[in-house]
Amino acid sequence: MNKSAPEYSLMVVLALMALLFSGCLAALPDNKSLPVQQACLISAEQAVPITVEIAKSSDERSRGLMEREILAEDAGMLFVYSGERRADHGFWMYRTLIPLDIAYMDRRGVIRAIRQMTPCPSSQGRDCPTYRAGVPFYLALEMNLGYFESRGIEVGDRLSLEPSDCR
């Protein structure tokens, strides 16, 4: 079957546009990667170094640790809010596979409450429990379940984003 010159030209232009568009897509940043920072949990007796992924935007906070199967032992996710969240605000475990601890903190990083959260097996988010802070907060830090207790980190201790504090 012979194609006319206009049909052939159109096919070539469409093919070139598809290649160009796919190259543009490859250049877009990966929306799943978050900034990673060294941090430190500080109590009266010790300083515990950790690595945190920082979720600042609404989309980053909404996605959180959803669908991840593992979290490194000394790693977590820090949720940062520009304004204070009310005490009745909380987190849920919809599509989250890893059991987690969550520490709710004030703007200086002082831990005001710690909760334990278990994965929610429901396919409907509305069926998952909410783990309310019980205190106003600006920051929330998720770590593997049992992390804070096993390290002796408790209410009144604090998070520092200055790695030099981990001496």
Side-chain angles (χ1 to χ4, degrees):
M1 171 162 118
N2 287 340
K3 297 202 183 290
S4 69
E7 284 179 304
Y8 184 75
S9 296
L10 179 60
M11 287 177 58
V12 169
V13 167
L14 289 175
L16 288 173
M17 286 178 60
L19 283 172
L20 179 63
F21 183 68
S22 67
C24 290
L25 285 178
L28 291 175
D30 179 5
N31 290 335
K32 293 181 183 176
S33 62
L34 296 174
V36 175
Q37 185 169 343
Q38 298 304 306
C40 192
L41 289 166
I42 302 171
S43 71
E45 295 81 31
Q46 65 180 331
V48 180
I50 61 172
T51 303
V52 295
E53 292 178 67
I54 300 177
K56 287 184 178 180
S57 75
S58 179
D59 286 344
E60 292 167 346
R61 291 188 305 262
S62 292
R63 176 137 179 92
L65 291 170
M66 281 182 178
E67 299 174 351
R68 298 226 194 144
E69 294 179 357
I70 59 169
L71 182 61
E73 183 178 338
D74 292 313
M77 183 169 286
L78 180 64
F79 298 81
V80 178
Y81 295 90
S82 57
E84 185 177 67
R85 309 305 289 178
R86 296 187 333 237
D88 64 349
H89 184 85
F91 282 59
W92 63 351
M93 296 288 284
Y94 174 62
R95 294 176 39 200
T96 304
L97 308 174
I98 307 164
L100 298 168
D101 277 352
I102 186 166
Y104 295 102
M105 297 170 273
D106 65 17
R107 73 174 66 198
R108 295 170 310 156
V110 176
I111 298 172
R112 296 298 181 202
I114 297 175
R115 307 278 181 260
Q116 289 75 41
M117 305 185 299
T118 57
C120 177
S122 178
S123 61
Q124 301 285 327
R126 67 177 177 257
D127 295 333
C128 296
T130 299
Y131 298 90
R132 298 193 194 302
V135 294
F137 67 96
Y138 281 87
L139 306 166
L141 176 62
E142 291 182 341
M143 302 290 289
N144 284 306
L145 185 68
Y147 186 87
F148 298 117
E149 184 178 357
S150 70
R151 306 304 191 281
I153 302 297
E154 51 195 31
V155 171
D157 295 339
R158 70 180 178 91
L159 172 73
S160 171
L161 295 177
E162 294 297 325
S164 61
D165 286 344
C166 279
R167 296 181 187 186

